Structure formats: structure tokens, C-alpha cells
Amino acid sequence: MSSEHHKPPRQLGGELVIPILAVGFTVYFFSTIWNSPWTAQVSAFMVGGILILVCAIFFVRCAVWLSRGEASLGFGNLFTMDDIRSGRIGLLVSTVGYVLLIDRLGFTLTTFLFLALSMLILSKGKNAAFITMVSAAMALTGWAVFIWAFDTRFPRGWFETTMKAVLTNG
Amino acid sequence: MDSSTASILVEVFFDTLGYWYIIIPTIFLGLIVGGIPGFSAANTIIILMPLTLALDLQSGLVFMISLYCAARMGAGIPAILVNIPGTAGAAATPLDGYPMAKQGKGQQALAISFVASCIGGLLTTMIALATMPILARVGFYMHSVEMIVVMLFGISLIASIAAQDMVKGLIAGFLGLMIGSIGTDVVYATPRGTFGFLELYDGVPLIPALVGLFAVSEAFVIIEKRVIVNHDEEPKTPNWHDTFEGVKIALKRWTHIVWTSIIGLVIGVIPGAGASIASFVAYQQSRSFSNTPEKYGYGHPEGLIAPEAANNGVTSGTLVPLLVLGIPGGATAAIMLVVMQFHGVSFGPSLFENQPKVGYGMFMAMAVSYVLMFLTILPLSRYMSHVTTIPTIYLAPMIISFTLVGGFVPREYMFDMYLALAFGVLGYIARRTGYHVAAILIGVILGPLLEKYFLWSLKKSDGDIMVLFSSTLGNILWVAFALSIILPIVFGMRRKRKLEVPAE
């Protein structure tokens, strides 16, 4: 009983993100089909209507918990200081960088840079030589299998162009 | 089956065994391409099309079929070990496979999956061979109305997943269905919810959704731990005992393998239906009629057997309409059709009279591939399970980079990589705040299909909703669907009552 008494209130801020996104997206979706033929509307109105209803039930439930003091609007289950300490934010930033740069720098070079940087962030700078070797090996293996052997249309850049010229001209 | 057919089958079986030097390397290639999201068997066969066309007909067919079977099985390996299904057909595999890996039973889970896949695939190949004329007709009877009920069998899995917190589960499932509605409608091609992106006019591509929801979000979650295996689980050195234990567990549940693989076979013969539908339906039915439904989702072997047996059942099912009617049941079967036509093979019932070795040879290639896969892959489970002990500081970035690029491969749009990242963020928020990513994915996969069949039905009946109850087979399926929802509730109440009696 006493342990229940000391239980920290449920952090609802994070839990509300998805229902709010869901309602926002559904309203936007409805706005795009408002003047459309019934074939475009029927299924979306059914599914979207149920989604809004279920979200409304969740909002009411949250309001009840908040009024009873059993919950707060905190975001503790979504963001904490641990996200910075563990390197999660750093990993997110390097992932965004990877996606943005791969089209310009090509698969191999961007993959090497991304792997090396994110592994260094997560290991807090330890084993830099080992990480550089692993990253280079992974990126080169990826190039050899996907681009050289299978000729898939992975994004290509300076490294791929140079290697193609070297392999073609000997 | 007359004696001449039997002798042809025996002859073709031994002929196909002679192609072991093609089958075994192809199995390993299939495991790799099946395991990386974006690289399906269909993509690989297209990439290697010049090679396939250069080979003689029999070698080309053996190559394509063994690649198809191995890729199907390979998709389950990362699903079990790192919670990343290689294809949408393996999307139900991590529901119980990954919890087993986290409990330090990755090797056992792989062995269970391999046995279920091989037995399921082998058995359904034999059944398909024996009942080809009957199975080929299934496609004729399955119209849009019947398909709606089949979709509902799969979508009802959302409710099971939502059992712990019904409201949040339903929010996740219906959000997935709503995301699945993005794109143009199937009748008038009106764009809906596309945010103005032309890349979304064809709907949300599945691989970026799969990569984001499972792989990227998982990579951001696993960095909390040093390795994937739970801290409180005893670190174990991989040993043969775990493999044999997995085989024993799977063989003990042979009836489960049989009926869930038959679900896959029947769904596989329906053109347009696929492994993802089959695995969700099989998982849901397995859970509904289990004596221990509460164990599902926490590493229950039956929850792993059902999707794996079913999605391998689909592989043999897709061959039936291809060979008997010339209608490909899926993308890979369509490519096989092209290759066979290049070699001058004509389809239909005459195939088995004019070129019986080609017709039966495809099924035999499948059977031989499953036998050889069992012998070559099962021993490797011991080594594959090492993945769960790789420190996450190395594993997480590798998962992110290779799966994000996998998201790019099917359509070769940079947009798909951005989309995968966006789904990754959504998946991460969902995981951290108690929404089930599998429920979202079920909606994204099955939602567009359900809508398509629903609209076709309404269009054919001039908007009369009663069309949903207008066919005999459809009504039988509706009753079966209602029973599959009601009976587990009744059984559950009975079990509860039985448990309460001794306490009183």
C-alpha cells in the first residue's frame, strides 16, 4: 500500500504525442478528401472516425488521471538527460546527417563517416583506432557486395566513381 | 497419382538433387538478401536476370526457386535476433522471436524457426503437388468480398496485440490503417493525405515503413543496453544443446506447424495475397486457439512457429496459380513467369502433359531446397546467435546505415530514406510511450488492401453494403471469422473458471 503511495505520477506528456499526431493527421487527411468522390472518402472517414473516437477516449482518460493527481504532463518517458549522456541525441544528429549527405558523398564514404562518428559518440571516444577499422571494413564490404558485385543503384559519389574508373581502366 | 507420374516425380527429384552445386550457394545468397530489408528475392532475381537467362532452363529454375525459399527463411533471422524483419512477410516473426533472443534463447529460436520453415515449406510443397487442380480453383472463388474477410482475419491481430492496453493498441492500429490510406484512391485516383509529395501517390512504400518502425527505432532503443540479451539473463556460450532443444520444441509442436503452414498455402494460392497476410492470419489464429494465449508476445515458441510455417507455406502456394493457370501469385512468381516464357515454356494444364519435368521440377526444386536448407542452415544457428552478444555501440550504427539504405533500394528515391527516418522517429516515440509498433505496421500493410477490396465490392454493387454478405463462401468465412473472435473468449472464460475452482 505504502509503495503505491510513493509511486511517481504517470508521465502523460510523452503518451499524448502519438494521439495528438494521430488526430492532427486525421483532420489533415479529411481536409484533402472533403470534395472528393465517395470512393476516396468512405474508408478514410470510417477509419479516421474510429481513430478520433479512440483518441478522444484516451484524452478523457488522461483528463481523469490528471484531475485525480495520478498523472502529470511530464515527458520523462520520452526525453531524459540520459538521452544526451548515452549518446542517443548524438546518434540521431549523425543519422540525420547520414540521410542528408549520402546523396552527395555516395554510399561508401558517407557510411564510413557515419559508422565511425556514431560509434565514437556511443563509445564516448574510446577505441578510436578499432572503430575506424571496423567502419572502414563495413563500408568497403558494403561497396564490394552491393555496388561492385550486384551493381545496385546505391547513391554514388567520389569514391564509387574513382573505383569504377580504376576497375574499368585497370 | 498414376505410376508414370510417380516415376517422373522420383526421376525429377534425383535430377534436382544433382543441382546441389547451384542450390547450396544460392541458399546462402538467399539468406543474405532475405535478411536485409529492401533486398527481396524478387529484386535479386531481377538484378541477376542476365545470369538466369544465360543458364539452361532447369538450372535457372532451380536457382530462382532456391533463392525464393532461402530469402523467405532468411527474412526471419534478423527478425528474431535484432527485431528487424527482412521482409514484410516476416513482420509477425519478432513478436515472439525477439523476446526469446532477449531471454538468451536466440539460438533456440533460430532452430525453431528453421524447423518450422523447412517442415512447413516441404509439407505444403507435397500438398500443393498432390492437390494442384483443386488448389488452383481457390483463386477463382476468392473475390473482393471474400478477401475482405481474409484481411479482417489479419487485422484482428491488432486487437490481440492491444490486449494489454486496448485504447493505446487501437490508437496504434488505426493510426497504421490511416497511414496506409495515404495515396490515390483505387477507383478515381484522387490523391489523399500526401502532403503534396508525388512520391506518396502510390501509397506509403512498405520497406521504408518496415525499416523505420522496426530497425531504426530499435537501434535507438537498444543502445540503453550493452548487448541485446537482457542483463538479468545468464550469459551463455552458444552450444549444440540449444540447437537440439529448439528442434525438439518445434518437432513436439508438429501439428501446429502443419495447420499454420496450410493457412500459408491457401493464402499463397490467392493471387495478390501474400506472405505478410498469411503470417499475420496464422499468428492470430494460433493465438486465438491456443491453451496459453497469455504467453504470446513474451517468447512463446508457438508464436514463432505460426508465422514462419505460414510464410514458407506461401512460397509453394504461389507456384500453383503460376503453373496451372499462368497467373503469378506474387512478384517473384511474376519474374519466374518471364524467365520461363523466355525459354519457351507454355503454362496451363498442358504444361504437365507436354513438359512434365518442368512443371513437377519446380515443386521438386522447392522440396530439395528445403531439405538442403535444413541440413546446411540449422548447424549455423549456433554461430548466428552471436549477433545478440555484439556490443550495441557497434551494432546500432550498423543497423541504421544498412537498413536505411535498404529503404532506398526498392524504388531508388532519396525520399524513401527520409520517410524511413520519419517512421523511425514515430517508432521510437511509440516504443518509449507504450504503443505497439507491430500494430501500426499491420495497419500500414493490410489497410490499403482492405480498402481496395472494400471499394471494389461497393463499386460492383452500386454502393450496396449488403454485398459483403452476398456470397456463400464469403458468408462461411464471416461465420469462421466470428467464431475465431468469440471462441477464444469463451475458452478463456472457461479456463479462468477452471483456475478459480481450486481457489474456492
Side-chain angles (χ1 to χ4, degrees):
Chain A
M1 196 73 175
S2 62
S3 68
E4 265 178 36
H5 194 72
H6 293 296
K7 217 167 85 174
R10 190 170 169 169
Q11 306 259 312
L12 283 179
E15 286 185 50
L16 282 166
V17 172
I18 285 195
I20 289 170
L21 280 177
V23 171
F25 173 64
T26 308
V27 171
Y28 160 71
F29 199 101
F30 286 175
S31 75
T32 64
I33 55 171
W34 203 252
N35 296 314
S36 301
W38 67 271
T39 52
Q41 293 176 331
V42 61
S43 171
F45 277 137
M46 270 166 52
V47 172
I50 298 172
L51 179 58
I52 288 179
L53 177 73
V54 184
C55 287
I57 294 171
F58 186 70
F59 293 144
V60 170
R61 207 167 75 169
C62 290
V64 172
W65 285 331
L66 286 168
S67 66
R68 284 187 196 153
E70 291 171 5
S72 74
L73 282 174
F75 283 83
N77 49 1
L78 198 53
F79 305 113
T80 58
M81 284 305 285
D82 261 359
D83 292 328
I84 298 170
R85 275 196 291 271
S86 66
R88 187 175 282 130
I89 301 291
L91 182 63
L92 178 66
V93 171
S94 57
T95 305
V96 172
Y98 178 64
V99 170
L100 293 176
L101 288 176
I102 195 166
D103 201 27
R104 288 177 199 173
L105 299 182
F107 165 76
T108 319
L109 192 58
T110 323
T111 301
F112 166 70
L113 291 173
F114 167 74
L115 289 177
L117 180 67
S118 39
M119 284 178 191
L120 282 170
I121 291 170
L122 294 176
S123 68
K124 298 177 179 70
K126 288 177 202 158
N127 296 332
F130 176 71
I131 283 172
T132 310
M133 267 176 16
V134 168
S135 307
M138 292 305 297
L140 285 173
T141 307
W143 168 79
V145 174
F146 300 121
I147 297 176
W148 180 66
F150 279 92
D151 198 25
T152 49
R153 290 187 197 169
F154 272 18
R156 296 179 188 208
W158 165 81
F159 179 82
E160 287 81 9
T161 318
T162 311
M163 288 308 288
K164 191 178 177 187
V166 169
L167 290 170
T168 312
N169 302 319
Chain B
M1 195 181 289
D2 56 30
S3 61
S4 67
T5 313
S7 68
I8 289 173
L9 286 177
V10 173
E11 194 188 330
V12 172
F13 180 80
F14 286 106
D15 272 358
T16 313
L17 259 185
Y19 287 97
W20 62 269
Y21 58 93
I22 294 178
I23 298 173
I24 292 176
T26 309
I27 287 172
F28 290 102
L29 176 66
L31 289 182
I32 294 168
V33 297
I36 305 172
F39 287 86
S40 59
N43 283 352
T44 313
I45 295 174
I46 290 171
I47 292 166
L48 299 177
M49 185 79 93
L51 169 78
T52 319
L53 295 177
L55 292 170
D56 65 273
L57 176 64
Q58 193 65 18
S59 307
L61 287 179
V62 164
F63 167 74
M64 288 190 294
I65 288 187
S66 42
L67 186 77
Y68 185 31
C69 299
R72 184 75 80 207
M73 191 154 104
I77 298 170
I80 291 167
L81 297 178
V82 280
N83 199 13
I84 301 166
T87 61
T93 305
L95 291 174
D96 279 276
Y98 188 56
M100 284 187 84
K102 285 208 287 191
Q103 291 158 18
K105 295 178 189 166
Q107 191 183 338
Q108 215 177 77
L110 285 175
I112 292 172
S113 150
F114 294 158
V115 173
S117 299
C118 290
I119 295 181
L122 201 55
L123 181 81
T124 48
T125 305
M126 296 304 146
I127 296 174
L129 202 53
T131 58
M132 233 179 327
I134 304 162
L135 277 176
R137 299 194 69 80
V138 171
F140 286 126
Y141 295 118
M142 298 298 286
H143 304 125
S144 43
V145 170
E146 290 79 11
M147 287 307 291
I148 289 172
V149 196
V150 173
M151 296 297 140
L152 288 176
F153 269 108
I155 286 175
S156 63
L157 178 56
I158 291 173
S160 305
I161 287 175
Q164 276 182 326
D165 187 335
M166 188 58 86
V167 176
K168 284 170 89 170
L170 291 177
I171 289 174
F174 278 92
L175 175 62
L177 287 169
M178 208 62 208
I179 294 171
S181 305
I182 290 176
T184 53
D185 85 280
V186 290
V187 181
Y188 293 113
T190 317
R192 303 168 305 166
T194 59
F195 297 96
F197 292 115
L198 282 175
E199 292 90 340
L200 289 176
Y201 274 40
D202 285 340
V204 173
L206 282 187
I207 297 298
L210 186 80
V211 161
L213 287 172
F214 277 89
V216 177
S217 65
E218 182 66 24
F220 279 92
V221 170
I222 58 171
I223 57 171
E224 282 165 12
K225 299 190 290 183
R226 201 183 66 76
V227 290
I228 285 177
V229 180
N230 286 340
H231 293 305
D232 47 349
E233 299 301 332
E234 220 174 288
K236 270 197 288 186
T237 322
N239 53 69
W240 291 114
H241 176 259
D242 270 6
T243 301
F244 292 128
E245 190 62 27
V247 174
K248 222 168 87 183
I249 291 170
L251 290 178
K252 245 169 114 179
R253 291 163 171 82
W254 67 271
T255 49
H256 209 77
I257 299 177
V258 171
W259 73 264
T260 50
S261 62
I262 290 173
I263 289 179
L265 173 67
V266 174
I267 292 179
V269 297
I270 305 167
S276 52
I277 300 166
S279 56
F280 286 134
V281 172
Y283 184 91
Q284 168 61 2
Q285 293 312 301
S286 163
R287 188 184 185 281
S288 299
F289 293 100
S290 167
N291 289 326
T292 50
E294 72 284 353
K295 288 185 181 171
Y296 280 67
Y298 297 98
H300 193 32
E302 285 168 18
L304 176 58
I305 287 171
E308 283 299 296
N311 66 33
N312 281 277
V314 169
T315 48
S316 36
T318 48
L319 286 190
V320 175
L322 174 73
L323 295 178
V324 181
L325 308 169
I327 302 168
T332 316
I335 301 160
M336 287 181 195
L337 181 105
V338 174
V339 174
M340 289 171 79
Q341 278 178 338
F342 174 83
H343 285 284
V345 176
S346 58
F347 294 93
S350 61
L351 172 69
F352 292 90
E353 283 169 22
N354 301 335
Q355 292 171 288
K357 285 191 178 176
V358 175
Y360 294 123
M362 288 184 76
F363 285 104
M364 280 303 152
M366 199 166 261
V368 171
S369 297
Y370 276 115
V371 172
L372 291 180
M373 262 200 288
F374 186 79
L375 299 175
T376 50
I377 306 304
L378 190 66
L380 295 181
S381 59
R382 177 179 173 169
Y383 307 101
M384 288 175 186
S385 63
H386 277 294
V387 170
T388 54
T389 58
I390 295 174
T392 55
I393 56 167
Y394 304 120
L395 196 61
M398 287 183 205
I399 289 173
I400 291 173
S401 60
F402 284 97
T403 56
L404 275 179
V405 178
F408 167 85
V409 172
R411 305 199 302 174
E412 295 171 3
Y413 292 163
M414 279 309 296
F415 176 83
D416 288 355
M417 279 182 81
Y418 308 143
L419 194 64
L421 185 59
F423 270 109
V425 173
L426 177 69
Y428 177 74
I429 296 171
R431 281 172 197 273
R432 290 292 295 259
T433 56
Y435 295 87
H436 217 298
V437 288
I440 302 178
L441 190 70
I442 293 168
V444 176
I445 294 175
L446 301 186
L449 297 170
L450 179 69
E451 186 189 17
K452 182 175 81 180
Y453 292 119
F454 183 58
L455 285 181
W456 280 353
S457 304
L458 288 183
K459 195 75 188 146
K460 276 191 278 186
S461 64
D462 284 331
D464 180 10
I465 196 84
M466 290 314 287
V467 70
L468 299 180
F469 308 102
S470 61
S471 87
T472 313
L473 180 60
N475 290 342
I476 293 170
L477 287 171
W478 276 116
V479 172
F481 177 62
L483 287 176
S484 80
I485 300 285
I486 296 164
L487 286 181
I489 299 171
V490 175
F491 292 153
M493 281 161 68
R494 254 201 217 161
R495 263 195 308 272
K496 217 172 163 187
R497 227 177 292 148
K498 266 186 193 169
L499 285 172
E500 279 167 3
V501 170
E504 281 165 12

